[in-house]
Amino acid sequence: RLETEPEAPVTVCPSASDATEVLVDATDCMTFSTAKDTAQGWNVWQTVTVTAVDDLIDETGNLPEVSITLTPSSTDSAYTTGVTLISAPFTVADNDEAGVHV
């Protein structure tokens, strides 16, 4: 969801600060139109799916912190490339244990 109505369509792409810890599909880019209350309307909430990487590494006591950043591009000067809409930090929980399984 954009905070303000754009003057031109806006494409927003998510990215992760550490792709070895989480996956954000580059095809998850969203294009918001200048229309309101449509599926791609600027005022409609969209979902970004972030998946933790199952890396088989026990990181207990050293859980990684990762940020997901949403970066827009548009001919609208309020949403030009280089502007960051949000950068949300979070900690990745770990499900791995050290040891050898026989």
Side-chain angles (χ1 to χ4, degrees), residues 22-58:
V22 296
L23 300 175
V24 179
D25 191 342
T27 62
D28 284 345
C29 291
M30 304 156 278
T31 299
F32 294 90
S33 70
T34 56
K36 193 173 182 180
D37 299 325
T38 64
Q40 299 298 309
W42 68 270
N43 67 327
V44 177
W45 290 99
Q46 302 294 321
T47 301
V48 174
T49 302
V50 178
T51 306
V53 173
D54 192 2
D55 56 12
L56 303 177
I57 298 171
D58 183 3

Side-chain angles (χ1 to χ4, degrees), residues 16 22 50 64-68 88-93:
V22 296
V50 178
E65 293 188 11
V66 181
S67 292
I68 300 300
F90 61 93
T91 301
V92 178

